[in-house]
Amino acid sequence: MKLKHFNPIPEKDVRIPIHLFTLKKNHIHQVIAKHWHEGAELVYCHKGENNVWIEGKTYRIKEGDCLFIDPYTLHETIQVGDSELYILQIPRLFLEECRICLDYEISCNSLLDKEKDYGFIQQIIPKMQALQLSEDAFSYLKINGLFSDLMYQLLHEFSTPISNQEYEFIKKEHHILFEILVYIRENYRESLSQQDTAEHFGYNAQYFARFFKAQTGSTFLEYVNSLQVEAAQKLLLTTDLKIIDISEQCGFKSVKALNRSFFRCFGMTPGKYRRLENEVTHEIIESQE
């Protein structure tokens, strides 16, 4: 039997300028390793608790909390236990057309500033999600209207002016890091070493190690392992592949290496993780029948 409750990110509706989707987790936890977007991202915790790592800082967000993640910002999400996140991705093109992140910076973090009113976010995001799931052929029009209201409120309540020069500097500073991370994501299943990666980008190995650690908060090996574990987790939840085959497909040198990395992240072996998640899947299916 193939397990199918792992939640892939759904396709974007081309009639809507944003991408809104839900990340659900019903057991253990789920990791989305360090990554970034050219656009911005608004994270709303609808249920449970989640850890969000943003450029060196970890935030434990609970129900009702909101985080705005700027473009080109390295971040990681770890869903803990029974939780549900609403993710609103805002494309770079829309931001630039509206001069957001060019003339205005949005600083929205309910953990850092509890004095501000986040009620409009807590109301609008679930409404947008409900409309997206409805069978109304014209619901996208209401979603677009709600999104306009949301951006209006965000700019009024949480924005401050910035200069174009500052934004361009941020993009240039991060450009090489993003090229490195893309390269690692495309090659981590192979025998990818820090030495080879440093040489590929023309860096001294020692400098590259310091640069990578400073920029990501992780060593090269830790980052590669996080990608391998993320890939292994998806295969455990969506396929019947044997552990040894998953190990090989995800770039681990052995099943023992997979077990060691997986245990560090989840506190259990891949086999036990799959069994527990399988039990939860059966319970969910039975409750829906």
Side-chain angles (χ1 to χ4, degrees), residues 227-240:
L227 296 178
Q228 292 172 325
V229 168
E230 180 185 3
Q233 180 194 29
K234 291 179 181 178
L235 292 177
L236 286 167
L237 297 180
T238 58
T239 74
D240 287 328

Side-chain angles (χ1 to χ4, degrees), residues 79 93 128 145 190 202 219 249 268:
Q79 291 185 266
L93 181 61
M128 293 172 66
E190 311 300 328
T219 65
Q249 285 195 25
M268 65 185 72

